[in-house]
Amino acid sequence: MAFRRSGIYKTADELRRLVAPGLLTAASLDAVQSAVRPGVSTLELDAVAEAVIRDGGGEPNFMLVPGYRHTVCASVGDEVVHGIPGSRVLAAGDLVSVDSGAQLDGWNGDSARSFVLDDADRPDVVAERRRLNEVTEQSLWHGIAALASASHLNEVGGAIEDYIDGQGDFGIIEDYTGHGIGRSMHEDPPVFNYRVRGRGPAVRPGLVIAIEPMVTSGGIDTVTHDDGWTVSTRDGSMAAHWEHSIAVHDGGIWVLTAQDGGAAGLAPLGVTPVPIA
Ligand code: MG
Ligand code: MG
């Protein structure tokens, strides 16, 4: 992934411009969440997300990535990220990760959620996949909570790793990272989901990042399919992916891609997000 080189700290006015595309991105995933069920194809989920983004006056920013023609990435089962929507029909018990992004008035949002579909015939399989999904989502909230009090960005990855290590035997994908976000969907700095030695940039008002842990029920090695996009675990283990775009501002932090700014997710961790003034 190429990162655009630019100053990583946005002005207060630029932070305000990131609010609407963040909410539109959240709305696209809310619609996907309402539509996801056994029998729906990943291409149908893509259409649901695209309609919400275009109705809101935005443009799917994944379509601005050279060579990519869809609104979302939909990664099923052992697929980690970058699954291409298509005719694949979701089945009972499937774990599917949906990554979406809206560009609005030149500014971007980026967010992902994973879902485990009910399967009455395989309660043990569903429970195991829901556990992976819950650990992945909670690792994201732990990373966001760490951002709220961090002095440097590497504290985010440290918090994600510490949380996951305490939950059992899970793998944290290292081949892909989070990123800065603004006028481009992918900007500096990289945001690691594990502890790194370098402190990274200072966390101060104007920093806007997408945190996106990718967690597996097994190993961390990945393979890219012949389609040039889809990334799967090498060992075939299940993978989940959660992502939010978050702004650091004068008053605190605000999760741009959550309708409530992250209040519900952060409350158990003692962090209260503050709206961007
Ligand atoms: Mg994303
Ligand atoms: Mg991203």
Side-chain angles (χ1 to χ4, degrees):
M1 182 186 301
F3 289 99
R4 189 176 67 113
R5 290 277 159 195
S6 67
I8 63 170
Y9 301 102
K10 274 79 177 173
T11 65
D13 183 60
E14 289 172 333
L15 295 184
R16 280 180 217 114
R17 293 170 188 267
L18 282 156
V19 171
L23 289 172
L24 191 53
T25 301
S28 74
L29 285 172
D30 288 344
V32 167
Q33 189 161 342
S34 295
V36 69
R37 66 177 68 87
V40 73
S41 73
T42 54
L43 195 59
E44 288 172 301
L45 295 179
D46 188 71
V48 164
E50 180 173 4
V52 169
I53 290 171
R54 295 205 186 279
D55 286 352
E59 185 173 7
N61 53 21
F62 292 12
M63 289 188 186
L64 304 175
V65 176
Y68 200 76
R69 304 175 193 285
H70 296 280
T71 296
V72 304
C73 295
S75 307
V76 183
D78 65 352
E79 296 171 359
V80 182
V81 287
H82 303 167
I84 303 172
S87 58
R88 180 174 186 160
V89 173
L90 296 178
D94 271 351
L95 164 56
V96 57
S97 305
V98 180
D99 195 341
S100 182
Q103 183 173 95
L104 187 63
D105 297 330
W107 295 86
N108 289 276
D110 187 7
S111 184
R113 304 178 194 173
S114 297
F115 311 97
V116 179
L117 307 187
D118 282 327
D119 185 349
D121 296 333
R122 295 186 299 162
D124 293 354
V125 168
V126 169
E128 191 176 325
R129 292 176 182 179
R130 291 216 162 119
R131 169 78 178 138
L132 168 64
N133 196 27
E134 176 69 12
V135 167
T136 307
E137 182 185 3
Q138 289 306 316
S139 77
L140 170 59
W141 289 115
H142 279 74
I144 296 170
L147 182 70
S149 57
S151 61
H152 289 85
L153 190 56
N154 70 335
E155 292 168 55
V156 169
I160 292 170
E161 179 177 325
D162 287 348
Y163 170 76
I164 292 173
D165 281 355
Q167 296 306 306
D169 221 0
F170 297 97
I172 305 174
I173 297 289
E174 297 183 358
D175 293 342
Y176 302 88
T177 68
H179 48 89
I181 182 166
R183 283 197 173 277
S184 296
M185 180 169 58
H186 294 137
E187 299 183 354
D188 272 336
V191 181
F192 300 100
N193 296 306
Y194 48 93
R195 182 165 280 104
V196 294
R197 186 177 291 271
R199 293 192 303 172
V203 174
R204 61 176 174 80
L207 186 68
V208 185
I209 55 170
I211 303 176
E212 50 178 315
M214 291 146 264
V215 181
T216 82
S217 57
I220 67 169
D221 292 340
T222 64
V223 291
T224 303
H225 295 211
D226 289 341
D227 64 21
W229 291 98
T230 311
V231 174
S232 289
T233 58
R234 183 175 291 279
D235 63 7
S237 59
M238 294 287 112
H241 176 212
W242 280 79
E243 176 179 26
H244 274 305
S245 303
I246 307 108
V248 180
H249 61 99
D250 279 338
I253 64 163
W254 186 251
V255 180
L256 295 158
T257 46
Q259 302 286 0
D260 67 351
L266 291 168
L269 302 175
V271 173
T272 304
V274 178
I276 296 169

